[in-house]
mmCIF file of all heavy atoms in Angstrom:
data_model
loop_
_atom_site.group_PDB
_atom_site.id
_atom_site.type_symbol
_atom_site.label_atom_id
_atom_site.label_comp_id
_atom_site.label_asym_id
_atom_site.label_seq_id
_atom_site.Cartn_x
_atom_site.Cartn_y
_atom_site.Cartn_z
ATOM 1 N N ALA A 1164 260.142 23.937 202.620
ATOM 2 C CA ALA A 1164 261.549 23.899 202.231
ATOM 3 C C ALA A 1164 261.910 24.766 201.114
ATOM 4 O O ALA A 1164 262.810 25.540 201.228
ATOM 5 C CB ALA A 1164 261.881 22.379 201.854
ATOM 6 N N SER A 1165 260.986 24.865 200.144
ATOM 7 C CA SER A 1165 261.263 25.688 198.970
ATOM 8 C C SER A 1165 261.225 27.228 199.504
ATOM 9 O O SER A 1165 262.085 27.899 198.918
ATOM 10 C CB SER A 1165 260.209 25.531 197.903
ATOM 11 O OG SER A 1165 260.065 24.215 197.530
ATOM 12 N N GLY A 1166 260.382 27.558 200.343
ATOM 13 C CA GLY A 1166 260.170 28.913 200.858
ATOM 14 C C GLY A 1166 261.530 29.250 201.587
ATOM 15 O O GLY A 1166 261.997 30.428 201.407
ATOM 16 N N ALA A 1167 261.970 28.289 202.398
ATOM 17 C CA ALA A 1167 263.249 28.593 203.087
ATOM 18 C C ALA A 1167 264.417 28.875 202.171
ATOM 19 O O ALA A 1167 265.232 29.722 202.439
ATOM 20 C CB ALA A 1167 263.491 27.439 204.148
ATOM 21 N N ALA A 1168 264.382 27.982 201.155
ATOM 22 C CA ALA A 1168 265.506 28.138 200.145
ATOM 23 C C ALA A 1168 265.542 29.562 199.387
ATOM 24 O O ALA A 1168 266.481 30.221 199.334
ATOM 25 C CB ALA A 1168 265.471 26.979 199.179
ATOM 26 N N LEU A 1169 264.180 29.877 198.994
ATOM 27 C CA LEU A 1169 263.991 31.176 198.417
ATOM 28 C C LEU A 1169 264.439 32.305 199.255
ATOM 29 O O LEU A 1169 265.063 33.332 198.976
ATOM 30 C CB LEU A 1169 262.609 31.341 197.975
ATOM 31 C CG LEU A 1169 262.241 32.755 197.316
ATOM 32 C CD1 LEU A 1169 263.057 33.045 196.036
ATOM 33 C CD2 LEU A 1169 260.643 32.658 197.067
ATOM 34 N N SER A 1170 264.011 32.262 200.588
ATOM 35 C CA SER A 1170 264.418 33.238 201.558
ATOM 36 C C SER A 1170 265.962 33.282 201.609
ATOM 37 O O SER A 1170 266.460 34.510 201.845
ATOM 38 C CB SER A 1170 263.682 32.849 202.869
ATOM 39 O OG SER A 1170 264.025 33.899 203.928
ATOM 40 N N ALA A 1171 266.626 32.131 201.651
ATOM 41 C CA ALA A 1171 268.060 32.293 201.826
ATOM 42 C C ALA A 1171 268.651 33.046 200.610
ATOM 43 O O ALA A 1171 269.744 33.942 200.710
ATOM 44 C CB ALA A 1171 268.634 30.840 201.886
ATOM 45 N N LEU A 1172 268.158 32.673 199.406
ATOM 46 C CA LEU A 1172 268.654 33.409 198.220
ATOM 47 C C LEU A 1172 268.424 34.950 198.189
ATOM 48 O O LEU A 1172 269.191 35.757 197.782
ATOM 49 C CB LEU A 1172 268.036 32.778 197.003
ATOM 50 C CG LEU A 1172 268.482 31.409 196.679
ATOM 51 C CD1 LEU A 1172 267.434 30.769 195.586
ATOM 52 C CD2 LEU A 1172 269.927 31.328 196.133
ATOM 53 N N ARG A 1173 267.208 35.339 198.677
ATOM 54 C CA ARG A 1173 266.828 36.761 198.796
ATOM 55 C C ARG A 1173 267.755 37.428 199.985
ATOM 56 O O ARG A 1173 268.212 38.650 199.646
ATOM 57 C CB ARG A 1173 265.404 36.781 199.303
ATOM 58 C CG ARG A 1173 264.420 36.452 198.167
ATOM 59 C CD ARG A 1173 262.968 36.513 198.751
ATOM 60 N NE ARG A 1173 261.893 36.381 197.796
ATOM 61 C CZ ARG A 1173 260.631 36.243 198.224
ATOM 62 N NH1 ARG A 1173 260.347 36.003 199.482
ATOM 63 N NH2 ARG A 1173 259.722 36.179 197.303
ATOM 64 N N LYS A 1174 268.069 36.643 200.945
ATOM 65 C CA LYS A 1174 268.795 37.230 201.968
ATOM 66 C C LYS A 1174 270.182 37.787 201.513
ATOM 67 O O LYS A 1174 270.744 38.814 201.878
ATOM 68 C CB LYS A 1174 268.864 36.341 203.216
ATOM 69 C CG LYS A 1174 269.581 36.897 204.376
ATOM 70 C CD LYS A 1174 269.646 36.021 205.629
ATOM 71 C CE LYS A 1174 270.246 36.603 206.854
ATOM 72 N NZ LYS A 1174 270.257 35.655 207.844
ATOM 73 N N VAL A 1175 270.763 36.849 200.675
ATOM 74 C CA VAL A 1175 272.194 37.281 200.175
ATOM 75 C C VAL A 1175 272.123 38.541 199.399
ATOM 76 O O VAL A 1175 272.887 39.495 199.606
ATOM 77 C CB VAL A 1175 272.660 36.192 199.274
ATOM 78 C CG1 VAL A 1175 273.840 36.566 198.486
ATOM 79 C CG2 VAL A 1175 272.966 34.871 200.016
ATOM 80 N N LYS A 1176 271.102 38.802 198.462
ATOM 81 C CA LYS A 1176 270.924 39.963 197.882
ATOM 82 C C LYS A 1176 270.610 41.167 198.702
ATOM 83 O O LYS A 1176 271.024 42.282 198.577
ATOM 84 C CB LYS A 1176 269.950 39.816 196.732
ATOM 85 C CG LYS A 1176 270.310 38.708 195.742
ATOM 86 C CD LYS A 1176 269.288 38.469 194.619
ATOM 87 C CE LYS A 1176 269.658 37.370 193.727
ATOM 88 N NZ LYS A 1176 268.720 37.047 192.626
ATOM 89 N N SER A 1177 269.760 40.928 199.681
ATOM 90 C CA SER A 1177 269.345 42.189 200.639
ATOM 91 C C SER A 1177 270.529 42.609 201.381
ATOM 92 O O SER A 1177 270.719 43.767 201.632
ATOM 93 C CB SER A 1177 268.069 41.534 201.641
ATOM 94 O OG SER A 1177 266.893 41.179 200.851
ATOM 95 N N THR A 1178 271.343 41.529 201.910
ATOM 96 C CA THR A 1178 272.561 41.959 202.657
ATOM 97 C C THR A 1178 273.567 42.678 201.792
ATOM 98 O O THR A 1178 274.171 43.714 202.267
ATOM 99 C CB THR A 1178 273.202 40.638 203.192
ATOM 100 O OG1 THR A 1178 272.183 39.916 203.949
ATOM 101 C CG2 THR A 1178 274.422 41.015 203.973
ATOM 102 N N ALA A 1179 273.594 42.404 200.498
ATOM 103 C CA ALA A 1179 274.481 43.005 199.508
ATOM 104 C C ALA A 1179 273.914 44.438 199.030
ATOM 105 O O ALA A 1179 274.490 45.129 198.391
ATOM 106 C CB ALA A 1179 274.849 42.150 198.294
ATOM 107 N N LYS A 1180 272.581 44.580 199.423
ATOM 108 C CA LYS A 1180 271.944 45.751 198.939
ATOM 109 C C LYS A 1180 271.827 45.930 197.534
ATOM 110 O O LYS A 1180 272.015 46.967 196.917
ATOM 111 C CB LYS A 1180 272.531 47.101 199.747
ATOM 112 C CG LYS A 1180 272.517 47.092 201.211
ATOM 113 C CD LYS A 1180 273.002 48.295 201.791
ATOM 114 C CE LYS A 1180 272.987 48.203 203.301
ATOM 115 N NZ LYS A 1180 273.514 49.403 203.952
ATOM 116 N N VAL A 1181 271.452 44.882 196.782
ATOM 117 C CA VAL A 1181 271.366 44.842 195.363
ATOM 118 C C VAL A 1181 269.995 44.443 195.084
ATOM 119 O O VAL A 1181 269.103 43.900 195.923
ATOM 120 C CB VAL A 1181 272.378 43.888 194.664
ATOM 121 C CG1 VAL A 1181 273.727 44.337 194.957
ATOM 122 C CG2 VAL A 1181 272.089 42.481 195.119
ATOM 123 N N SER A 1182 269.533 44.564 193.850
ATOM 124 C CA SER A 1182 268.268 44.157 193.387
ATOM 125 C C SER A 1182 268.124 42.678 193.456
ATOM 126 O O SER A 1182 269.037 41.881 193.239
ATOM 127 C CB SER A 1182 267.960 44.750 191.951
ATOM 128 O OG SER A 1182 266.824 44.101 191.398
#
Side-chain angles (χ1 to χ4, degrees):
S1165 302
L1169 175 61
S1170 178
L1172 291 169
R1173 286 172 170 172
K1174 183 178 179 180
V1175 171
K1176 298 178 184 181
S1177 297
T1178 302
K1180 298 181 180 180
V1181 298
S1182 166

